[in-house]
Amino acid sequence: MTRIDRRALFASGAAAALLAAAGMSLSDRPKPGGHLRLAVPRDDSLEQIARGAVFDTLTEIAPDGTLRGELATGWQSEADGRVWKFDLRTDVRFHDGATLTAADVVSSLAEIGLAEVEAPSSVRLELALPDPGLPFRLADSRFAVVRAGAHVSPLEQAIGTGCYRVERAQDNRHFLARRVAEHYKTGQAGWVDTVEVIVIPDAAVRAEALRDGFVDVAALPQPEGLRERSRFRYHPSEDKMALAVAPSVGLPRQISQHAPLDDGRIAERWWIA
């Protein structure tokens, strides 16, 4: 059975030496506090980032592309990958105060296969066909775990177990969420106090908002409109840019080239430097 150690590297006394060896400075370390503002086009970016902030999944893809547990502490399957068992965290609460149960997970997996509670903190999932890559697939926000099978929309009514609780939201327009106190990921993720996502359809206006300091991150297909281009970083690269990032924003040293929105987890992984 896979067991995941979720302790943050930066908590160790050897962090400074390791950071130096990796070419990083202490200023690259995550810092709590601040307000992270993102400008995105009218596509699914707002919903993807909001889901990553409000909801959790059984597994998650780390910034370096590796698989690790989120609500699941471990998993195992039969030889053909058709029957799976997931062990669950026991310290997780929904934003309304309710404790996460195996029954909530079962409800959220109903569309994938035949799921059932095997023990108070474990579930069994039987698939119609073998799927050896299921743990990777379950990291997608489409498989967010919700309370008793509730819907994930509209955003203003969303209640999850993620690092951020919805404070104000309008689908396809605006999203504002605040960090949950005493969350099980405290010290490992969820660095900023609040995260705000604003839909700005015009790329030139998004660039202007970033240039003038009204937002910290902007989704831009090209860096046009950013006259002082050296001020900003471009992710995943300047040639294949998806995001332009202000120098005040800290982000993981490595982010998958295939996930320009950091698998929708910008809100919990990025910080104000």
Side-chain angles (χ1 to χ4, degrees):
M1 181 178 295
T2 304
R3 294 291 179 185
I4 309 297
D5 182 2
R6 298 177 60 81
R7 295 177 183 173
L9 167 65
F10 300 114
S12 71
L18 290 172
L19 287 167
M24 300 172 67
S25 68
L26 290 175
S27 62
D28 291 320
R29 295 174 60 183
K31 298 178 181 179
H35 180 57
L36 182 64
R37 303 161 299 172
L38 304 96
V40 299
R42 185 171 285 127
D43 56 13
D44 63 351
S45 297
L46 182 146
E47 182 176 358
Q48 188 177 357
I49 296 170
R51 282 194 177 200
V54 176
F55 297 102
D56 290 327
T57 47
L58 286 177
T59 59
E60 66 173 312
I61 306 299
D64 62 3
T66 59
L67 179 71
R68 62 189 183 190
E70 189 164 52
L71 293 179
T73 59
W75 51 88
Q76 63 181 357
S77 72
E78 295 183 355
D80 65 353
R82 193 174 70 86
V83 177
W84 290 83
K85 176 185 174 183
F86 293 89
D87 295 321
L88 309 176
R89 298 186 66 100
T90 58
D91 57 348
V92 180
R93 291 186 177 275
F94 287 97
H95 299 156
D96 61 1
T99 300
L100 174 73
T101 68
D104 294 315
V105 176
V106 165
S107 296
S108 299
L109 296 177
E111 295 183 7
I112 301 175
L114 179 60
E116 60 184 6
V117 175
E118 188 165 85
S121 60
S122 68
V123 299
R124 180 182 185 273
L125 177 64
E126 183 175 343
L127 306 175
L129 297 171
D131 185 358
L134 179 68
F136 283 92
R137 194 157 64 94
L138 291 178
D140 193 287
S141 63
R142 292 177 300 162
F143 304 114
V145 175
V146 296
R147 186 177 177 187
H151 297 292
V152 298
S153 60
L155 283 176
E156 62 181 355
Q157 298 175 16
I159 297 176
T161 61
C163 291
Y164 291 87
R165 176 188 292 109
V166 178
E167 193 160 284
R168 186 169 64 251
Q170 289 179 286
D171 286 355
N172 300 315
R173 295 187 65 183
H174 180 247
F175 171 77
L176 176 65
R178 186 169 300 275
R179 181 173 57 194
V180 175
E182 299 181 357
H183 191 269
Y184 74 89
K185 282 188 176 182
T186 297
Q188 303 170 21
W191 304 108
V192 296
D193 294 331
T194 54
V195 58
E196 184 172 16
V197 186
I198 306 163
V199 171
I200 302 178
D202 192 313
V205 179
R206 292 197 299 274
E208 182 178 356
L210 177 66
R211 186 192 66 217
D212 294 344
F214 292 108
V215 298
D216 308 297
V217 181
L220 296 175
Q222 296 294 332
E224 299 170 1
L226 296 178
R227 290 191 294 271
E228 300 176 47
R229 291 171 56 177
S230 61
R231 286 178 49 199
F232 303 99
R233 287 172 293 170
Y234 302 100
H235 172 71
S237 69
E238 187 167 347
D239 293 333
K240 299 179 180 180
M241 182 180 59
L243 301 174
V245 184
S248 60
V249 177
L251 59 158
R253 184 72 169 178
Q254 181 178 0
I255 302 176
S256 171
Q257 297 283 318
H258 303 293
L261 292 179
D262 199 3
D263 281 326
R265 297 180 182 274
I266 288 177
E268 69 170 37
R269 290 178 177 168
W270 296 23
W271 64 93
I272 299 297

